[in-house]
Amino acid sequence: MLNVTVWNENRHEQKNPVVRDIYPEGIHGAIASFLKAEQIDVKTATLDEPEHGLTAEVLNNTDVLIWWGHLAHEEVDGAIVEKVKNRVLEGMGLIVLHSGHFSKIFKTLMGTSCDLKWREADDKERLWVIDPSHPIVEGIGEYIELEKEEMYGEHFDIPAPDQLILMSWFEGGEVFRSGCTYQRGNGKIFYFRPGHETYPTYHNKEIQQVIKNAVQWAKPTNRSYPVYGNAKPLEEIKAK
């Protein structure tokens, strides 16, 4: 069975009654709930748990890690970030949601500022499917329409994606690369833009379907981790 850990800093839910009303079990709880319906073994972890809930045991038993953060990026321990990075390089999948673009782990793996433009003004958002052949958008039409969302706009300071799957248009006129894949080491990474905490985005069935698809896409391949360092020759090297 596929093992997924949903990580959420879980701060908005404690501070903002609007968020608490939309996600009474937390954003992590909402995501875990629709994933559990897929016969996936789902665990949750939050910032204020010991080691942010990401102990060596948890990480070693996680096939795909989903990450949501916003208010408390700087409170995430660098040692935990390093452990997560190493697990991604070893093959663990990573799905970074919405404001997780500014998380330490995403910026570390991208090597850029990951900055962008933003606006909270109840913009309508259309997420256009750029690559309809990609498994992450299986079961999705030409676009996903969200009545209200936070605007993210270009320029988004990320490396050019390995694959650009979704592009957003906002009512105010901006566009944004909203579904981007990367490979780092043996691991696969998917950045997915929607999910501002004061909107019920993660209750949207099409958004849920993209995340479900992404979990299946990002799961580790069944192979051994490569061996690095000094290597003996496979064949006899003849003196020249």
Side-chain angles (χ1 to χ4, degrees), residues 83-207:
K83 289 179 181 179
V84 173
K85 182 190 80 171
N86 288 338
R87 281 289 293 125
V88 172
L89 298 180
E90 290 170 359
M92 181 183 74
L94 177 65
I95 299 171
V96 177
L97 300 175
H98 191 58
S99 46
H101 73 91
F102 241 8
S103 64
K104 288 181 179 179
I105 184 58
F106 191 63
K107 291 198 289 185
T108 295
L109 289 164
M110 295 300 103
T112 57
S113 76
C114 300
D115 213 343
L116 46 77
K117 295 183 179 71
W118 62 275
R119 175 177 63 245
E120 291 184 44
D122 291 350
D123 284 62
K124 178 189 292 183
E125 177 180 7
R126 288 197 188 105
L127 294 109
W128 287 92
V129 174
I130 300 300
D131 184 355
S133 69
H134 201 282
I136 286 179
V137 287
E138 184 173 347
I140 303 300
E142 289 189 340
Y143 61 84
I144 300 170
E145 184 161 308
L146 300 174
E147 183 180 351
K148 295 179 181 180
E149 251 292 356
E150 180 182 20
M151 184 280 292
Y152 279 6
E154 297 286 345
H155 176 244
F156 187 16
D157 186 21
I158 52 174
D162 294 342
Q163 296 163 302
L164 178 60
I165 301 170
L166 292 152
M167 174 76 79
S168 285
W169 165 88
F170 291 90
E171 191 173 355
E174 293 83 3
V175 296
F176 190 77
R177 290 167 288 169
S178 287
C180 305
T181 72
Y182 297 91
Q183 182 176 316
R184 294 291 185 267
N186 276 18
K188 289 177 281 188
I189 301 166
F190 179 54
Y191 172 74
F192 189 39
R193 194 218 72 81
H196 186 63
E197 65 277 357
T198 59
Y199 301 115
T201 301
Y202 295 122
H203 295 307
N204 180 288
K205 296 299 183 183
E206 291 176 297
I207 297 299

Side-chain angles (χ1 to χ4, degrees), residues 19-40:
V19 181
R20 196 158 52 246
D21 286 345
I22 296 170
Y23 298 112
E25 303 300 322
I27 289 172
H28 53 298
I31 294 171
S33 179
F34 68 74
L35 288 177
K36 286 176 182 176
E38 299 298 299
Q39 303 301 306
I40 294 171

